[in-house]
Amino acid sequence: MDIPPPPGPQQPQGGQYPPPGPYGAPPGQGQGPAPYGYQSWGQGYPPHSPYPPPAPPPPVNGFAIAALVLGILCFLPLIGLILGLIALAQIRRKGERGKGMAIAGMILSGIGTAFLVFAFASGGAAEFWEGFKEGAREGATFSVDKGECFDAPGGSLEGVAYDVDEVPCAGEHDGEVFANFQLDNGGYPGDTAITEAADDKCYTLQHTYAMDSWALPDDVDIYYFTPTRQSWDLGDREISCLFGNVDASAGLTGSLRSDETTLDADQIAYLKADQVHNEAMESVPLEGNIEDDLPGHKQWATRVSGALTEQVGILRGHDWGADAQGPVTALVKDLDAAQKEWQKAGTAADLDAYYEHYVKAESLTDPKGTITARKALGLATTPPTYDEEPGESGGSTGGGGAEV
């Protein structure tokens, strides 16, 4: 049985009474405790409502959200379509929200799917893949340009390099790039094959960048950056040829470039003629001494004779400046005489006859005999030193290389 409330104007209906508030008083009352039957108006206690709180809204379907996100990003459009269909089915069954999101995601994913089909049909997908590989390659490797000077992390040009810092060539630096070339496509050829290709090509290409080999310091050697197995799979085929100091703690100072961008016409003509002779001299048989391979050395002498003929033709065909005319003419006279001795060495009947003409030819082509002409042309006048004489070893292996 309900107990009737005390009489008063604030009596609630239906026998329901709010609990008394601990603080405050209703309007018109004092500051003491609220009498029974009155709701306190103190802070933190809202007025009593006889109505129940509203029910929370249904949740948003997660598949609808995912479908919309994939549709906006145009990422995996087929997946976006599937997620949209799943979302609509669940929304009907569970009464969840998100129908508009699911439909919008399906529309956007449908557009993306149509674009993807068109890209495959028109070859655009192949272009996209090539672009992707190029971006991945650039992210996995780095590239250096001809004429660029740089510092390597730790100062080492050997091992594995992940990046370099470009610096001005006029100051101190670790390396200077003198050439880049591409290897053939195909499967990864292996570390040894790549190193051999770098050795062979870089030693040849150095002469197109540093035409005056006498100007290269004795402590400078050739290094290179080569692809790794991982970068090869991304399409990296580039080998970069570098000049570096054999003493990593010393580095380089100033550019070593001496080519058409830094030399005058007389210097270029002289160095091009000189390189013809140098290449022939470098083709000396590397296995065994003259006594062990006389036929091979006679063929070499014949090659040198032909190179001297070409060298003399270049020197005589150039119009030299006044300062260089006399010294170059004198040099040509010695080269003419040397050419005849090398020719006789190439046709020598026996070892003694070969040595007779070989010694005379060597004396006539002694590098010291070119110093006067070089000085008149403004080229380096200190002959380079070599650790080994031609024919005493299998050739240089270079300063080394780093994989990128």
Side-chain angles (χ1 to χ4, degrees):
M1 176 177 68
D2 290 339
I3 300 174
Q10 300 297 327
Q11 180 175 339
Q13 302 297 320
Q16 300 297 323
Y17 297 92
Y23 307 107
Q29 301 293 325
Q31 295 302 316
Y36 184 75
Y38 287 91
Q39 170 64 41
S40 170
W41 291 82
Q43 182 179 3
Y45 289 84
H48 172 72
S49 173
Y51 301 103
V60 179
N61 185 271
F63 286 102
I65 297 174
L68 180 61
V69 171
L70 292 180
I72 293 174
L73 298 179
C74 198
F75 179 68
L76 300 176
L78 292 176
I79 302 298
L81 280 172
I82 294 172
L83 293 181
L85 292 172
I86 295 174
L88 290 177
Q90 290 187 352
I91 289 170
R92 285 194 300 268
R93 187 173 68 254
K94 298 181 179 179
E96 294 176 326
R97 294 182 297 152
K99 181 177 180 181
M101 301 171 70
I103 294 175
M106 292 174 64
I107 293 173
L108 293 174
S109 294
I111 295 173
T113 302
F115 176 79
L116 186 62
V117 171
F118 174 77
F120 274 104
S122 63
E127 295 180 3
F128 170 80
W129 176 242
E130 290 302 320
F132 172 80
K133 290 198 298 181
E134 180 67 22
R137 179 166 61 251
E138 291 178 358
T141 65
F142 63 90
S143 180
V144 287
D145 297 325
K146 178 180 177 180
E148 180 179 320
C149 295
F150 63 88
D151 284 334
S156 176
L157 297 178
E158 299 184 357
V160 178
Y162 298 100
D163 198 5
V164 295
D165 298 320
E166 183 178 0
V167 296
C169 291
E172 295 182 357
H173 49 275
D174 294 328
E176 181 173 358
V177 185
F178 64 82
N180 290 304
F181 68 93
Q182 299 287 325
L183 295 173
D184 294 333
N185 288 324
Y188 184 69
D191 296 343
T192 300
I194 290 179
T195 299
E196 290 177 352
D199 272 336
D200 293 342
K201 200 71 176 287
C202 287
Y203 272 87
T204 300
L205 291 173
Q206 67 170 319
H207 300 298
T208 63
Y209 186 87
M211 296 179 66
D212 188 3
S213 59
W214 287 30
L216 291 176
D218 290 337
D219 56 0
V220 169
D221 207 342
I222 291 177
Y223 298 79
Y224 31 79
F225 290 140
T226 61
T228 63
R229 183 181 294 275
Q230 292 74 23
S231 67
W232 186 277
D233 291 338
L234 293 172
D236 181 19
R237 302 291 185 271
E238 184 174 81
I239 290 181
S240 298
C241 305
L242 328 165
F243 286 127
N245 199 314
V246 294
D247 181 2
S249 62
L252 305 174
T253 302
S255 176
L256 299 174
R257 190 167 196 162
S258 58
D259 59 8
E260 286 83 353
T261 66
T262 63
L263 303 173
D264 61 36
D266 285 353
Q267 293 170 328
I268 293 171
Y270 175 86
L271 292 173
K272 284 184 175 180
D274 189 52
Q275 183 57 26
V276 173
H277 181 198
N278 290 338
E279 289 177 359
M281 293 294 292
E282 291 170 359
S283 69
V284 60
L286 299 178
E287 300 297 334
N289 298 319
I290 298 176
E291 293 84 353
D292 300 326
D293 186 15
L294 180 59
H297 281 79
K298 289 171 63 177
Q299 293 175 2
W300 170 58
T302 300
R303 290 195 297 273
V304 175
S305 173
L308 285 171
T309 299
E310 183 179 352
Q311 181 184 14
V312 167
I314 295 174
L315 295 176
R316 282 179 172 159
H318 183 74
D319 186 14
W320 300 98
D323 293 338
Q325 182 66 50
V328 171
T329 300
L331 176 62
V332 167
K333 182 178 179 181
D334 289 340
L335 294 176
D336 257 335
Q339 184 272 328
K340 293 180 175 60
E341 294 298 331
W342 280 110
Q343 185 178 35
K344 292 176 181 178
T347 58
D350 52 37
L351 184 62
D352 290 338
Y354 178 89
Y355 266 115
E356 177 185 354
H357 298 293
Y358 169 77
V359 171
K360 291 180 181 179
E362 283 265 290
S363 64
L364 290 168
T365 53
D366 189 323
K368 295 180 180 179
T370 66
I371 292 178
T372 301
R374 281 179 158 272
K375 185 176 181 180
L377 291 166
L379 298 171
T381 57
T382 302
T385 58
Y386 300 98
D387 294 333
E388 299 172 345
E389 292 296 326
E392 290 185 351
S393 74
S396 172
T397 59
E403 292 183 317
V404 298

mmCIF file of all heavy atoms in Angstrom, residues 25 71 82 94 109 158 161 166 240 244 329 340 353 370 373 389:
data_model
loop_
_atom_site.group_PDB
_atom_site.id
_atom_site.type_symbol
_atom_site.label_atom_id
_atom_site.label_comp_id
_atom_site.label_asym_id
_atom_site.label_seq_id
_atom_site.Cartn_x
_atom_site.Cartn_y
_atom_site.Cartn_z
ATOM 1 N N ALA A 25 18.247 24.919 -1.118
ATOM 2 C CA ALA A 25 16.822 24.927 -0.805
ATOM 3 C C ALA A 25 16.079 25.408 -2.010
ATOM 4 O O ALA A 25 16.622 26.121 -2.858
ATOM 5 C CB ALA A 25 16.560 25.864 0.384
ATOM 6 N N GLY A 71 37.188 3.475 -51.081
ATOM 7 C CA GLY A 71 36.688 4.169 -52.265
ATOM 8 C C GLY A 71 37.313 5.532 -52.442
ATOM 9 O O GLY A 71 37.672 5.925 -53.551
ATOM 10 N N ILE A 82 33.320 -5.163 -52.456
ATOM 11 C CA ILE A 82 32.891 -6.312 -51.652
ATOM 12 C C ILE A 82 32.501 -5.867 -50.244
ATOM 13 O O ILE A 82 31.463 -6.279 -49.699
ATOM 14 C CB ILE A 82 34.008 -7.371 -51.597
ATOM 15 C CG1 ILE A 82 34.240 -7.952 -53.003
ATOM 16 C CG2 ILE A 82 33.671 -8.472 -50.612
ATOM 17 C CD1 ILE A 82 35.432 -8.865 -53.096
ATOM 18 N N LYS A 94 20.857 -5.934 -39.029
ATOM 19 C CA LYS A 94 21.102 -5.477 -37.659
ATOM 20 C C LYS A 94 20.514 -4.109 -37.362
ATOM 21 O O LYS A 94 20.540 -3.657 -36.217
ATOM 22 C CB LYS A 94 22.612 -5.429 -37.405
ATOM 23 C CG LYS A 94 23.304 -6.773 -37.522
ATOM 24 C CD LYS A 94 24.794 -6.625 -37.235
ATOM 25 C CE LYS A 94 25.515 -7.962 -37.321
ATOM 26 N NZ LYS A 94 26.986 -7.794 -37.047
ATOM 27 N N SER A 109 34.577 2.919 -55.506
ATOM 28 C CA SER A 109 35.343 1.710 -55.831
ATOM 29 C C SER A 109 35.020 1.215 -57.231
ATOM 30 O O SER A 109 35.882 0.691 -57.947
ATOM 31 C CB SER A 109 35.052 0.611 -54.804
ATOM 32 O OG SER A 109 35.531 0.973 -53.526
ATOM 33 N N GLU A 158 85.057 2.078 -50.078
ATOM 34 C CA GLU A 158 84.951 0.635 -50.207
ATOM 35 C C GLU A 158 83.849 0.126 -49.286
ATOM 36 O O GLU A 158 83.438 0.799 -48.345
ATOM 37 C CB GLU A 158 86.285 -0.037 -49.877
ATOM 38 C CG GLU A 158 87.422 0.389 -50.808
ATOM 39 C CD GLU A 158 88.715 -0.359 -50.525
ATOM 40 O OE1 GLU A 158 88.719 -1.160 -49.569
ATOM 41 O OE2 GLU A 158 89.688 -0.149 -51.236
ATOM 42 N N ALA A 161 77.804 1.418 -49.667
ATOM 43 C CA ALA A 161 77.461 2.827 -49.465
ATOM 44 C C ALA A 161 75.957 2.997 -49.629
ATOM 45 O O ALA A 161 75.357 2.431 -50.536
ATOM 46 C CB ALA A 161 78.211 3.702 -50.472
ATOM 47 N N GLU A 166 77.057 15.595 -51.688
ATOM 48 C CA GLU A 166 77.718 16.377 -52.731
ATOM 49 C C GLU A 166 78.358 17.619 -52.123
ATOM 50 O O GLU A 166 77.731 18.312 -51.310
ATOM 51 C CB GLU A 166 76.728 16.774 -53.813
ATOM 52 C CG GLU A 166 77.364 17.519 -54.975
ATOM 53 C CD GLU A 166 76.370 17.860 -56.066
ATOM 54 O OE1 GLU A 166 75.193 17.518 -55.914
ATOM 55 O OE2 GLU A 166 76.798 18.481 -57.069
ATOM 56 N N SER A 240 79.320 3.700 -61.476
ATOM 57 C CA SER A 240 79.898 5.040 -61.439
ATOM 58 C C SER A 240 81.389 4.915 -61.167
ATOM 59 O O SER A 240 81.808 4.249 -60.215
ATOM 60 C CB SER A 240 79.244 5.894 -60.346
ATOM 61 O OG SER A 240 77.868 6.068 -60.608
ATOM 62 N N GLY A 244 89.687 8.635 -56.270
ATOM 63 C CA GLY A 244 89.792 8.755 -54.823
ATOM 64 C C GLY A 244 91.230 8.603 -54.395
ATOM 65 O O GLY A 244 92.078 8.112 -55.146
ATOM 66 N N THR A 329 107.563 20.139 -83.099
ATOM 67 C CA THR A 329 108.290 19.684 -84.304
ATOM 68 C C THR A 329 109.463 18.800 -83.916
ATOM 69 O O THR A 329 109.722 17.756 -84.552
ATOM 70 C CB THR A 329 108.774 20.889 -85.119
ATOM 71 O OG1 THR A 329 107.645 21.670 -85.526
ATOM 72 C CG2 THR A 329 109.541 20.436 -86.352
ATOM 73 N N LYS A 340 110.280 3.779 -86.642
ATOM 74 C CA LYS A 340 111.066 2.874 -87.497
ATOM 75 C C LYS A 340 111.695 1.765 -86.666
ATOM 76 O O LYS A 340 111.758 0.608 -87.107
ATOM 77 C CB LYS A 340 112.126 3.672 -88.247
ATOM 78 C CG LYS A 340 111.562 4.645 -89.260
ATOM 79 C CD LYS A 340 112.673 5.422 -89.970
ATOM 80 C CE LYS A 340 112.138 6.320 -91.069
ATOM 81 N NZ LYS A 340 111.180 7.339 -90.604
ATOM 82 N N ALA A 353 118.027 -9.550 -82.080
ATOM 83 C CA ALA A 353 117.637 -8.472 -82.996
ATOM 84 C C ALA A 353 116.457 -7.689 -82.419
ATOM 85 O O ALA A 353 116.400 -6.458 -82.538
ATOM 86 C CB ALA A 353 117.283 -9.055 -84.366
ATOM 87 N N THR A 370 109.337 14.346 -73.760
ATOM 88 C CA THR A 370 108.158 15.152 -74.090
ATOM 89 C C THR A 370 107.991 16.360 -73.165
ATOM 90 O O THR A 370 107.066 17.164 -73.363
ATOM 91 C CB THR A 370 106.882 14.292 -73.996
ATOM 92 O OG1 THR A 370 106.673 13.899 -72.628
ATOM 93 C CG2 THR A 370 107.015 13.034 -74.852
ATOM 94 N N ALA A 373 107.935 19.932 -74.871
ATOM 95 C CA ALA A 373 106.678 20.218 -75.574
ATOM 96 C C ALA A 373 105.544 20.448 -74.579
ATOM 97 O O ALA A 373 104.715 21.349 -74.748
ATOM 98 C CB ALA A 373 106.347 19.082 -76.523
ATOM 99 N N GLU A 389 106.708 -2.264 -63.973
ATOM 100 C CA GLU A 389 106.985 -2.078 -65.387
ATOM 101 C C GLU A 389 105.982 -2.896 -66.197
ATOM 102 O O GLU A 389 105.477 -3.923 -65.740
ATOM 103 C CB GLU A 389 108.406 -2.541 -65.727
ATOM 104 C CG GLU A 389 109.494 -1.658 -65.111
ATOM 105 C CD GLU A 389 109.470 -0.236 -65.646
ATOM 106 O OE1 GLU A 389 109.132 -0.064 -66.831
ATOM 107 O OE2 GLU A 389 109.761 0.688 -64.888
#
